[in-house]
Structures are given as structure tokens and as C-alpha cells.
């Protein structure tokens, strides 16, 4: 489901992600994109926020959707994908290729678009080598493509029982608030740069 503000402001901000972005198990207004929309409004920044989070989506799924998601002029794109790739043990090379292709597609449509890439990490249960290779994808892709890296989307949330739902994978409402705090300084800078 896509939650779009009806404010129709000056900037259009798209969050391309999976269940973490969609706010799985929560009301759409509790997901971090909606919380950030409220924060932008509080700061006097007019923006239309599109939550293009789809539960279960992978980086390949995001790549298939990106043209449609960016069918309207977009000023800021936040890419928060890869968690499902990692949990399925998919090759990290494919993740890097898909994230790069998403960035290239966005820039081909809107050359001046500001792009934020949200890093993800895998639990140790995936194996130390895979864990390291996976974590390295995000800073590498960000540097090679000149986009802003948010080092870890789930900073201070991953592994914290009080901030996650019973599955200990999906953040609860409090966890989503912390994600919004993590993303805010990067989003604020991107909106002011565009």
C-alpha cells in the first residue's frame, strides 16, 4: 500500500523499501516515512511523501518497481532494500548490482534527484563471511555512485526486544520512531540540497 500525503507540497520524497518501510504490523501513520512527513511539516518544509514500501520485497523487486514508483517528478529518493535479500542468502554481488541499477534508473529519469541509501546488516547466524560481505555492499555502492549513505537503518533498534514486534524482526511503533530519528538528519540535508 502506498501512503501519500495530500499536502501536495514543493518536494516529492519517495521511500522505496520493504516491510520495514511499509510499517509491517502497524498503522501506516506509524511507519517512519509518515513520521518523517510530520517532522518535515513541523519544520515548515512542504513535501509530499510516498511510502513505496512493500513487505517481502527484495532489491530485485525494488528495481522492477522503481520506474513506476518514480512516474511523477521526484526530488528525493530513499532506498531501503536488501534485508530480504540477506535473509534469503542471496549473493551480495546481485544486491550491489540491483542497488546500483536503482540509483542509475532514478538519475536517468531525474538527473538532479537526491538519493539516500539506507544500509542494512545481517545477523551473525548468516555466517561471519556473509555478514561482512553484506554490510560492505552499502558503503561501496554509495561511494561508487556518489549517494548519501545512512550507515544502518535499524541503528539502536535491531536486536532490541522492547523496540520490535514479537517476531523480533519488524520494529514496533517505538522502533519506527527511532528509525525516523536516525533518518531525519540525512533527509533534512537532502531536502535542503535539492
Amino acid at each position: 500500500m502506498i501512503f501519500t500525503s495530500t499536502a501536495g507540497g514543493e518536494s516529492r520524497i519517495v521511500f522505496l523499501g520493504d516491510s520495514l518501510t511499509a510499517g509491517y504490523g502497524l498503522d501506516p501513520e506509524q511507519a517512519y516515512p509518515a513520521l518523517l512527513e510530520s517532522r518535515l511539516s513541523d519544520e515548515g518544509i512542504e513535501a509530499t511523501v510516498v511510502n513505496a514500501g512493500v513487505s517481502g520485497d527484495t532489491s530485485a523487486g525494488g528495481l522492477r518497481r522503481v520506474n513506476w514508483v518514480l512516474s511523477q517528478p521526484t526530488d528525493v529518493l530513499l532506498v531501503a532494500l536488501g534485508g530480504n535479500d540477506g535473509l534469503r542468502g542471496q549473493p551480495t554481488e546481485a544486491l550491489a548490482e540491483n542497488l546500483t541499477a536503482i540509483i542509475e534508473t532514478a538519475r536517468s529519469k531525474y538527473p538532479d534527484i537526491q538519493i539516500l541509501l539506507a544500509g542494512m546488516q545481517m545477523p551473525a547466524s548468516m555466517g561471519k563471511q556473509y555478514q561482512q560481505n553484506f554490510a560492505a555492499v552499502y558503503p561501496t555502492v554509495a561511494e561508487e555512485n556518489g549517494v548519501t549513505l545512512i550507515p544502518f537503518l535499524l541503528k539502536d533498534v535491531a536486536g532490541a526486544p522492547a523496540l520490535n514486534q514479537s517476531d523480533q524482526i519488524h520494529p514496533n511503533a517505538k522502533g519506527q520512531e527511532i528509525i525516523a530519528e536516525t533518518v531525519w538528519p540525512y533527509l533534512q540535508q537532502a531536502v535542503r540540497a535539492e
Side-chain angles (χ1 to χ4, degrees):
M1 176 181 175
I2 292 182
F3 171 80
T4 309
S5 92
T6 54
E10 295 171 357
S11 298
R12 185 172 192 264
I13 304 166
V14 173
F15 292 81
L16 180 64
D18 51 31
S19 57
L20 302 176
T21 299
Y24 174 87
L26 303 171
D27 291 333
E29 295 78 21
Q30 294 176 302
Y32 74 89
L35 299 175
L36 288 165
E37 180 179 42
S38 295
R39 181 79 178 264
L40 288 163
S41 179
D42 291 345
E43 297 282 331
I45 301 169
E46 292 186 25
T48 298
V49 171
V50 178
N51 184 340
V54 172
S55 292
D57 211 2
T58 61
S59 61
L63 178 57
R64 284 192 294 273
R65 292 192 296 126
V66 70
N67 267 311
W68 178 77
V69 167
L70 299 179
S71 58
Q72 295 180 45
T74 302
D75 302 292
V76 180
L77 172 67
L78 186 144
V79 181
L81 289 164
N84 290 312
D85 300 61
L87 292 174
R88 295 172 190 176
Q90 295 180 356
T92 56
E93 297 83 3
L95 171 60
E97 289 170 8
N98 291 334
L99 293 174
T100 298
I102 289 169
I103 292 165
E104 290 173 347
T105 300
R107 282 198 175 133
S108 71
K109 291 177 77 72
Y110 310 113
D112 296 328
I113 193 170
Q114 297 290 316
I115 301 176
L116 307 175
L117 178 62
M120 288 298 302
Q121 298 175 11
M122 284 295 108
S125 61
M126 297 300 294
K128 187 172 184 181
Q129 189 63 58
Y130 187 82
Q131 186 184 38
Q132 290 174 345
N133 292 347
F134 185 91
V137 165
Y138 295 89
T140 301
V141 169
E143 184 176 355
E144 289 178 352
N145 293 279
V147 301
T148 300
L149 176 68
I150 301 170
F152 184 32
L153 184 68
L154 297 178
K155 180 181 178 232
D156 300 327
V157 175
L163 300 175
N164 287 280
Q165 298 175 48
S166 58
D167 63 9
Q168 289 304 303
I169 294 172
H170 296 98
N172 58 24
K174 183 64 181 169
Q176 287 279 347
E177 290 173 11
I178 292 173
I179 294 171
E181 287 298 319
T182 297
V183 172
W184 171 248
Y186 300 95
L187 180 62
Q188 185 182 35
Q189 186 174 13
V191 169
R192 289 184 170 160
E194 56 91 6

